[in-house]
Amino acid sequence: MTDVTTRRLDLAGTRTFATPGAGQTRRRALAEFGFGWLQELWRDACAGRRHEGVALAAVGSLARGDGGPLSDYDLVLVHHPRGLSGKEVGAFADKLWYPIWDAGVRLDHSVRTVADCRAVASDDLSAAVGLLDLTHVAGDADVVNAARSTVAHDWRANARTRLGEMQESVVSRHARQGDLAHLIEPDLKEAHGGLRDMSVLRALTAAWLTDRPHGEVDQAYERILDVRDAIHVVTGRGRDRLTRDDQDACAALLGYTDADDLLTDLSTSARTIAYAVDGTLRRAMQSQRARTLRVGPRRPQLSPLGYGLYRHDGEAVLGPSADLSSDPVTPLRAAVVAARGGIPLSPTTLKNLAAQAPPLPEPWPEVARNLFADLLAAGPGLVTVWEGLDLAGVIERWIPEWKAVRSRPQRNAVHRHTVDRHLVETVVAASGMVRDVARPDLLMLAAVFHDIGKVPGSQDHSVTGADLADVALLRMGVSDTDRRTVVRLVRQHLTLVELATRRDPEDPATIAALSEAVDGSATTLDLLRALTEADASAAGPKAWSDWRAGLVTRLYDACRAALADRTEGEGPLVVEPIEMLPLSDDALDRVASGEPYVTVTSLGGAHRVDIIDRDRAGLFADTAGLLAAHGFVVRSAIVRTVDGVAVNEWWVDSPGNETPLPEVISRDLVRVASGDRSPLGKLQRRRSTGVRSPGSGSVDSTRAMVISSASESATVIEVRATDRPGLLQDIGITLARASLSVRSAHIATYAGQTLDTFYVTEFGGGQLAPARAAQAVAMIIDTCDGD
């Protein structure tokens, strides 16, 4: 080990690594030593001669002052072409480079004129970003300043063309290196969220297109630099990768209890930088696009998304009239809109949501539970939105248990993500299986909580997780029956795959064990089957192979068949009411006079709309259409018709925070019944701009089927489809066009999916013939998938 290397390691020390703030002091001392040593070498190379127009400059970590104990030196000998001859410059450079090599310091070097610097920056993106940090070390400072200012000027002037190249380079590097936050042996420099991304942030700022986040981002950068420095000291080599073999020693040097705590902090820091570079690059692209396209003063372009949010420059932002201080549900509304739209919430909106929105009451109101299920079912758009909410502290307010698993590493070769990211990826995977289960909302809850028990000190994360989930679900106000189901799924989430891979799937004892795990419930078994696949596929290809999938399917099919003969009384089907509910004299008088009787009851942000009216063809479709036209989202409904009178109960919530007005609904029903369709005019606009559920690309097509033997007097059709504005109206119109009468309907919306059951008859009564039933099912599917 040379004297220079020894000196650099001595400056790094070991006792100060665990001291807060010591890293900056250490790196400053290393930079000062490096500059001082190089200046000595410069004086020795000059041998008393003054070289006009020649200078030594640094780029990279030495120039920035954030190099580690054994980081490379990146040096440029800059010279004026009218100064020394090419031969003289080459000989002088050798006098500088050889002592550095002899000292054992890794060196990246070049010799360039100012014009050369400009040319190489123009041709090479990486060189351009590096030269933005060009810093004078020794010699003629004017030539270094000239090179740096020229490169910076060109960088700003050519930002429009270079920005796309930078974005492509960043995306490509992230794809190759992966996410630092979720890697067990991360490359601290090149991975997504690593040190290289801070150079990207600085370069974007230097282009004058956007500012970058500070504060937490700078702190995160310092933490990663501290880990990098520890690697250098522990290994005695200038490495950037934190290997398993070095994690314990680095953790001890940095003052952590164990390597898991080190990896947790490292992951949190990487997530902060990754989110910052993604957002800053996105805003820079939007800024450049606006700068290129606009003519005259730029006005904000706000496209409504629903729930008081707008799309602006590729991000979801709160509108100017939003009142965060009075509505604790606003963060959930905003998250649903952004996730479904596949766009991130803007940093300012996230900051305001975290700082101004009051906490949710306990238990949560029903509208909050519905929105949370919608958010979880949003599909791939959930990942970025959840990450932003988590970094802003909103997720922890909803789920305090989340804090213990945030950025927690998983020492398991099967898993590719930290615990919290794995939970989110499982939710995304499960969102593609919502048509396979009767209660997709319970599937989503089980997915987000299934590994919540992977906390320090837990002996069995399934048991610990079940207890934690029980507390969280109770806080959310989930009903006792649903809560027990989700808790059971969390506790048993490994049972199906373990039985399928370790036991004979066709052995009656194996089937009995699985049946006991799901409490003899076919609905719970379906949920467990979907959760098992979502969990394994989110973990990685090693956890969900064709072989494992085949064994799981064999055991599931065998157990499902064993449970098929049981009468469970569960699922979307409900017992059809036979008798008319008692009606008030006021209601009877109103209906007798030809006017609908409408009442509205509001509870916890949700609204119950009761409508009593004379039955007629298309009443169901018209009512559903009017509610959608007024901007209300139907969560559930029970539609009943007895003796020519329809008694309908609709549960809705309002993206615009409006309360349904009984007199308006009654008036519009009368107008529509008389042939005036104008009250439905707003629906078409809401179809394109309203809050929507995940698109058909994220899930299978509509499923509709006849449920045989469900009724002796009507044909029962069950429909599972992706919810959207006006869907119920479209189904109602389809049934009317098929000349069918809706005797009763039972509407439920879970996690963006409708699970609707229609009891239909021929006009005048009577079940449908098989051919007619098949025709009705086909028409419903075409209607649902035709949007």
Side-chain angles (χ1 to χ4, degrees), residues 28-343:
R28 191 180 304 114
L30 286 168
E32 291 174 356
F33 168 78
F35 273 69
W37 179 55
L38 292 172
Q39 288 163 358
E40 289 181 9
L41 296 180
W42 175 269
R43 289 191 291 269
D44 291 343
C46 289
R49 296 179 55 191
R50 181 176 178 83
H51 296 296
E52 296 291 342
V54 183
L56 181 64
V59 294
S61 61
L62 179 61
R64 296 188 300 269
D66 60 14
L70 299 179
S71 292
D72 297 356
Y73 282 178
D74 296 332
L75 302 177
V76 183
L77 186 62
V78 188
H79 66 98
H80 196 285
R82 292 193 295 271
L84 298 177
S85 67
K87 184 176 182 180
E88 290 173 325
V89 170
F92 183 66
D94 288 342
K95 294 181 180 179
L96 290 171
W97 308 150
Y98 276 102
I100 298 175
W101 288 325
D102 290 342
V105 176
R106 291 188 302 175
L107 174 66
D108 186 358
H109 61 90
S110 61
V111 178
R112 293 180 180 137
T113 64
V114 173
D116 291 337
C117 291
R118 187 176 193 181
V120 75
S122 177
D123 294 337
D124 188 320
L125 178 66
S126 178
V129 172
L131 286 168
L132 291 173
D133 293 324
L134 192 70
T135 300
H136 174 260
V137 176
D140 190 344
D142 289 341
V143 71
V144 176
N145 293 335
R148 179 168 178 162
S149 61
T150 300
V151 170
H153 175 272
D154 289 348
W155 179 251
R156 292 190 294 271
N158 298 319
R160 183 171 64 86
T161 57
R162 302 307 295 269
L163 195 55
E165 183 184 0
M166 170 168 277
Q167 183 185 44
E168 182 179 348
S169 172
V170 169
V171 170
S172 177
R173 172 168 57 82
H174 291 168
R176 289 194 313 271
Q177 300 294 338
D179 285 312
L180 194 160
H182 308 301
L183 296 171
I184 298 300
E185 294 188 318
D187 186 318
L188 305 188
K189 186 175 184 179
E190 302 293 342
H192 187 198
L195 303 176
R196 180 77 71 188
D197 281 340
M198 282 297 292
S199 296
V200 173
L201 288 174
R202 284 187 290 265
L204 291 173
T205 304
W208 293 359
L209 292 174
T210 183
D211 194 9
R212 71 168 183 86
H214 297 274
E216 291 184 356
V217 174
D218 294 322
Q219 295 171 14
Y221 183 56
E222 292 295 328
R223 282 194 292 268
I224 297 178
L225 288 173
D226 286 344
V227 178
R228 188 274 321 271
D229 292 354
I231 295 173
H232 288 192
V233 172
V234 165
T235 65
R237 305 176 71 175
R239 294 176 175 174
D240 296 313
R241 184 176 296 278
L242 178 60
T243 65
R244 294 174 189 264
D245 293 340
D246 302 323
Q247 288 171 4
D248 289 334
C250 288
L253 181 60
L254 290 165
Y256 288 96
T257 303
D258 56 34
D260 279 1
D261 288 343
L262 164 62
L263 292 175
T264 297
D265 260 10
L266 182 62
S267 175
T268 300
S269 300
R271 291 172 61 186
T272 301
I273 292 177
Y275 192 80
V277 75
D278 292 346
T280 303
L281 185 58
R282 181 175 59 252
R283 286 186 292 278
M285 294 294 292
Q286 292 287 349
S287 172
Q288 181 56 51
R289 199 171 293 123
R291 177 186 294 184
T292 303
L293 297 178
R294 76 170 181 257
V295 177
R298 185 188 179 201
R299 296 181 176 85
Q301 299 296 315
L302 300 177
S303 302
L305 295 169
Y307 287 140
L309 266 80
Y310 297 84
R311 181 193 296 268
H312 174 61
D313 280 353
E315 297 176 333
V317 300
L318 283 168
S321 61
D323 182 10
L324 293 177
S325 61
S326 63
D327 187 3
V329 182
T330 296
L332 278 167
R333 299 185 193 277
V336 169
V337 169
R340 285 180 171 175
I343 56 178

Side-chain angles (χ1 to χ4, degrees), residues 552-576:
V552 166
T553 300
R554 283 176 60 192
L555 178 55
Y556 164 77
D557 289 343
C559 190
R560 195 65 165 81
L563 297 175
D565 295 334
R566 299 189 182 186
T567 303
E568 299 175 301
E570 55 184 351
L573 288 178
V574 296
V575 178
E576 185 186 18

